Amino acid sequence: MAYYSPARDRSSAQLGDVFSVLVALATLGIYFITLDPFSSLSDASTALVETTGRLASTYITCFILAVVSFLIIALRGDIGRVLAGTAPVIILSGWLFFSVLYSSDPATSAQRLTLSLVTYALAAVLPWLTRGMHQFTNLLLIAASSVVVLSYLGIALFPHLAVHQATDLLETALAGDWRGIYQQKNEAAMMMVVCAYIGLLAARTGKPLIGVPIAIAALVFLPFSGGKSAFGLVFIASGLAYMVARCQSFWWRAVIAFGPLALIGLLTVGSVMSETVMSILNLLPIDPTFTGRSGIWEFAINAARQNYLTGYGFEAFWHSATIESGSEGTGWERFAHTSHNGFLDMALTIGLPGLALLVIAFVITPLRDFQRTLPTPENETLAYFFLNLWLFMLYHNMFEAFFLSRADPMWFALALATCGLRYTARYAARV
């Protein structure tokens, strides 16, 4: 016969909290450290992993974590609160499912979309697995510290696995650039920025002796990685976040947040569409090709114009039969795997209507959520961290493409930022 025992209930609750923390930590480990750290780029099999990912292990691991996470939240009765405010994402998901039907490769699109949505779900539920701001910050700090420490250890102890080599099968021109635990230096640079923001969050929440060194070490990594976009944008995004946080008007916040974004879009992708913009760009002390991206943008724009309403299907253009058959490209296009612009990539794969829905869900709605941040010290501290992270990821999508990108660490970070802003706008975070 069951009977009430306060001590047993407390013990069960504590055990449940420990299990939640382990699940949250495992989730951060999968996306921050990945399932394939320190991969050898001189191994021919790595090129295939770069394109297709480790399908079985990635899907199984992420699905298990998602199922367990939602079971925990369901037992606590928080499913409704997790789903609150997700209407823009749900509507976008409907269009994404539709994009699978008209995809040039439905099986591939369905498979990749499933993992993308699972990644979003894990990001959405992560704050609910912790007891409050300090525990959430501690878990992020463990993940960020692991990334930074492992990356520096790799460079010191086995540089052939942590630094791009001339013997790499792909992108030999990157030889000498630091990549740490990741497969590519741009990915490493972006994740170091994420780690720097986490270090600063830790410093603001009472852990400066740990947070500040992690932030400094992550920022020192940037110039050695050769990630010029990340190095420049971390200061731009941080400056914009500072100004946005000090405005009260939503419209002024929108001007500050999105004005420079539109200008960068005009000077980058716009330069391959307008000779006037290109002539202006040639007057500036920068590489007008943006390290070769302009050729990819021009190719992607021409392809998108041929199918601008529906696109080619979710993640079904690059490395597709369309490319490899030579009907769309015959050279480097066969080896590109994104448009190097997230907004352009979405227009190319899910069409202009899909792009519009994505902008509503991941550009406009997060700023509106920041505007509605609950006025508690914990919510304001977390919201400012999420704002920095969101703006950096948004701006970096002008040079890379990781919107809805399966188990990509940057897609997880962007999803975490947008879900975090929704969380701080609706619920008071505990200490």
Side-chain angles (χ1 to χ4, degrees):
M1 179 183 293
Y3 61 91
Y4 175 70
S5 170
R8 187 175 65 181
D9 285 352
R10 283 195 299 271
S11 178
S12 297
Q14 290 172 352
L15 184 61
D17 286 343
V18 171
F19 187 62
S20 294
V21 168
L22 291 177
V23 172
L25 195 57
T27 299
L28 289 172
I30 290 299
Y31 287 102
F32 274 63
I33 301 176
T34 77
L35 291 174
D36 192 31
F38 297 121
S39 57
S40 173
L41 301 185
S42 61
D43 185 349
S45 63
T46 304
L48 181 61
V49 172
E50 177 75 13
T51 301
T52 64
R54 294 186 179 275
L55 293 179
S57 56
T58 299
Y59 277 80
I60 292 172
T61 305
C62 291
F63 266 104
I64 291 174
L65 286 173
V67 169
V68 173
S69 296
F70 273 88
L71 281 176
I72 292 171
I73 300 305
L75 291 173
R76 293 176 178 174
D78 289 331
I79 286 290
R81 293 197 287 176
V82 173
L83 295 177
T86 59
V89 176
I90 292 173
I91 295 171
L92 171 62
S93 298
W95 180 266
L96 293 174
F97 284 120
F98 177 63
S99 78
V100 171
L101 299 178
Y102 61 71
S103 171
S104 58
D105 188 350
T108 297
S109 291
Q111 186 183 69
R112 294 177 175 180
L113 176 59
T114 300
L115 185 55
S116 296
L117 295 180
V118 167
T119 295
Y120 177 84
L122 285 169
V125 81
L126 186 67
W128 296 93
L129 294 174
T130 63
R131 289 197 303 267
M133 178 185 69
H134 284 289
Q135 189 178 80
F136 178 72
T137 302
N138 288 341
L139 294 180
L140 289 176
L141 188 58
I142 291 172
S145 301
S146 300
V147 168
V148 173
V149 171
L150 287 174
S151 292
Y152 275 102
L153 284 176
I155 291 164
L157 301 178
F158 34 91
H160 63 287
L161 297 178
V163 180
H164 282 287
Q165 305 290 316
T167 55
D168 292 350
L169 296 179
L170 299 173
E171 299 181 302
T172 55
L174 302 182
D177 290 340
W178 291 6
R179 61 184 178 95
I181 65 173
Y182 300 102
Q183 290 190 343
Q184 215 267 353
K185 56 104 172 180
N186 287 332
E187 183 180 8
M190 284 187 279
M191 289 307 295
M192 285 297 167
V193 172
V194 175
C195 293
Y197 284 141
I198 292 172
L200 294 176
L201 172 65
R204 294 190 192 101
T205 54
K207 304 174 188 66
L209 295 181
I210 302 176
V212 172
I214 289 297
I216 292 174
L219 292 175
V220 167
F221 191 99
L222 286 179
F224 294 99
S225 72
K228 295 184 287 295
S229 299
F231 186 69
L233 289 175
V234 63
F235 299 105
I236 294 174
S238 298
L240 292 175
Y242 179 85
M243 291 187 287
V244 166
R246 277 149 185 77
C247 285
Q248 298 301 317
S249 165
F250 173 80
W251 296 109
W252 272 114
R253 282 176 166 171
V255 169
I256 294 171
F258 304 142
L261 187 71
L263 179 61
I264 291 174
L266 178 65
L267 292 176
T268 54
V269 175
S271 66
V272 302
M273 303 173 66
S274 168
E275 293 183 2
T276 301
V277 174
M278 178 57 77
S279 63
I280 295 174
L281 192 62
N282 286 329
L283 298 175
L284 302 177
I286 58 177
D287 176 11
T289 71
F290 296 95
T291 59
R293 288 179 173 87
S294 60
I296 301 176
W297 294 333
E298 185 175 9
F299 173 79
I301 289 171
N302 291 333
R305 283 171 174 165
Q306 299 175 32
N307 208 0
Y308 66 89
L309 185 60
T310 60
Y312 291 85
F314 183 77
E315 290 210 355
F317 181 77
W318 304 105
H319 292 290
S320 67
T322 304
I323 294 290
E324 293 173 1
S325 66
S327 59
E328 290 290 344
T330 56
W332 54 263
E333 300 91 346
R334 297 187 183 188
F335 302 100
H337 52 274
T338 73
S339 304
H340 284 280
N341 180 289
F343 298 94
L344 177 56
D345 224 45
M346 289 294 98
L348 181 65
T349 57
I350 63 175
L352 293 182
L355 174 61
L357 292 173
L358 179 131
V359 168
I360 293 172
F362 292 100
V363 180
I364 298 173
T365 299
L367 185 63
R368 183 202 62 186
D369 288 334
F370 182 77
Q371 179 76 11
R372 298 174 178 177
T373 300
L374 298 182
T376 70
E378 293 77 23
N379 281 51
E380 290 174 347
T381 298
L382 286 173
Y384 188 65
F385 162 71
F386 291 130
L387 177 70
N388 272 281
L389 186 58
W390 170 68
L391 281 172
F392 174 77
M393 290 298 168
L394 203 62
Y395 273 73
H396 216 300
N397 258 298
M398 284 294 178
F399 301 96
E400 301 294 337
F402 48 85
F403 280 127
L404 303 164
S405 185
R406 290 175 277 172
D408 192 306
M410 281 76 74
W411 162 231
F412 177 79
L414 175 59
L416 179 62
T418 57
C419 294
L421 288 170
R422 185 175 69 243
Y423 176 92
T424 54
R426 290 176 171 270
Y427 306 105
R430 290 173 292 179
V431 179

